[in-house]
Amino acid sequence: MAISEAKPAKLLDTKGLLCPAPVIKTSQAVKQIEVGEVLEVVATDPGSKPDLTSWARMTGNELISMSEDQGAPKVYKFRIRRMK
Amino acid sequence: MTLATQQSKEAERGKKANHLVLVVTNNTIDKVYPPMILATTAAASGMEVDIYFTFWGLKLLDKKGHTRTKIAPVGNPAMPMPNIMGMLPGMTAMATKMMKGKIKKYWPTIPEMMQQAKEMGVRLHACSPTMGLMGMSEKDLIPGTTSICGASTFLDWATDPNSVTIFT
């Protein structure tokens, strides 16, 4: 199985929430999974795309993949691997 | 990107400031949410955070005043209300109620955000000269206030090359 298809250990739905909630909730959720496991986050805040990218870089967690659908509002999906 | 440039970028990132120092000088809704959002996000990103509450910002650490953050339509050209109307009695309360109603859908209240910040390890400091000015003592501060300090302490944080300071 490819890394990007690894089954997430936890799902986090932040749809409808604005900055900083997606980042705060992601940082809390990532502590609830084991190192090496994957967290999947869904969000509708368009700021979550650059914000979670920056958050992952700052905290040293790995943003494995990021996708968005064409819905209204757009739903962004992130897969983050806890690194430490 | 070559591996070398990638590595030098990584090294550069390693040099980034990891300590956020915020100064809160006011206790209106528009002057409090931005620093609280930055503080909680910084803490969530592994940064150390110190917030220095001074002048009206100190009301946020005042047991009696920390839930009373308001917004005034007077002197605020972005508000959909002429100043002369904003001056009328009750207009500040009305604008506050409307704004808090809107905010409620997306963000925690300010006392909730302060609580969240404390739980995340954000340090909250009361400005000692402002306390004197307002006749406040240690027992007037909300539980969890980290310290009472003055300009030298603040400068000690602010001059650290690993820190970044923002006035709000």
Side-chain angles (χ1 to χ4, degrees):
Chain A
M1 193 187 282
I3 286 173
S4 60
E5 287 159 12
K7 193 173 154 46
K10 193 175 170 66
L11 298 171
L12 173 66
D13 185 353
T14 70
K15 290 200 291 284
L17 298 172
L18 296 180
C19 163
V23 167
I24 305 278
K25 286 181 186 290
T26 298
S27 78
Q28 287 164 346
V30 92
K31 289 190 186 117
Q32 291 164 17
I33 61 171
E34 301 295 325
V35 172
E37 284 185 337
V38 173
L39 169 72
E40 185 174 296
V41 184
V42 285
T44 47
D45 176 11
S48 62
K49 205 173 151 181
D51 283 1
L52 279 172
T53 308
S54 296
W55 173 85
R57 196 169 59 219
M58 285 176 78
T59 55
N61 288 295
E62 185 195 357
L63 182 58
I64 305 168
S65 68
M66 184 162 62
S67 61
E68 54 189 75
D69 68 8
Q70 292 306 314
K74 241 181 206 180
V75 177
Y76 301 89
K77 192 157 107 181
F78 307 86
R79 298 165 73 85
I80 296 160
R81 185 185 304 280
R82 178 174 178 180
M83 297 303 282
K84 56 187 175 189
Chain B
M1 198 187 311
T2 67
L3 190 61
T5 48
Q6 197 172 354
Q7 277 168 346
S8 76
K9 279 211 160 198
E10 294 292 329
E12 223 169 274
R13 273 179 211 131
K15 278 189 239 146
K16 269 190 167 180
N18 61 1
H19 180 197
L20 179 65
V21 181
L22 295 166
V23 186
V24 178
T25 59
N26 222 314
N27 76 327
T28 56
I29 291 173
D30 54 327
K31 300 273 170 69
V32 175
Y33 270 104
M36 291 317 294
I37 287 171
L38 283 178
T40 48
T41 307
S45 308
M47 292 177 79
E48 300 268 314
V49 187
D50 285 285
I51 314 183
Y52 193 71
F53 293 91
T54 183
F55 270 78
W56 312 119
L58 188 60
K59 287 277 168 206
L60 291 154
L61 296 183
D62 184 344
K63 266 182 199 159
K64 294 190 292 280
H66 75 288
T67 57
R68 299 200 200 126
T69 305
K70 290 179 182 158
I71 184 98
V74 170
N76 187 344
M79 279 269 176
M81 185 185 289
N83 269 337
I84 191 119
M85 275 178 69
M87 284 167 68
L88 298 174
M91 283 302 178
T92 295
M94 197 187 86
T96 301
K97 202 174 166 201
M98 282 172 68
M99 187 123 190
K100 283 190 175 170
K102 241 182 202 178
I103 282 174
K104 202 165 63 181
K105 281 188 226 150
Y106 305 106
W107 289 330
T109 64
I110 288 166
E112 281 166 0
M113 275 198 117
M114 298 279 289
Q115 183 59 34
Q116 189 181 38
K118 276 192 281 185
E119 284 165 10
M120 295 173 93
V122 172
R123 295 180 290 261
L124 312 172
H125 305 274
C127 165
S128 63
T130 306
M131 286 185 65
L133 199 67
M134 295 188 176
M136 285 171 67
S137 68
E138 204 172 340
K139 63 175 176 12
D140 298 317
L141 298 172
I142 59 168
T145 303
T146 312
S147 84
I148 301 172
C149 58
S152 288
T153 311
F154 170 80
L155 288 172
D156 196 22
W157 310 324
T159 51
D160 184 331
N162 286 320
S163 76
V164 57
T165 302
I166 306 173
F167 268 71
T168 55

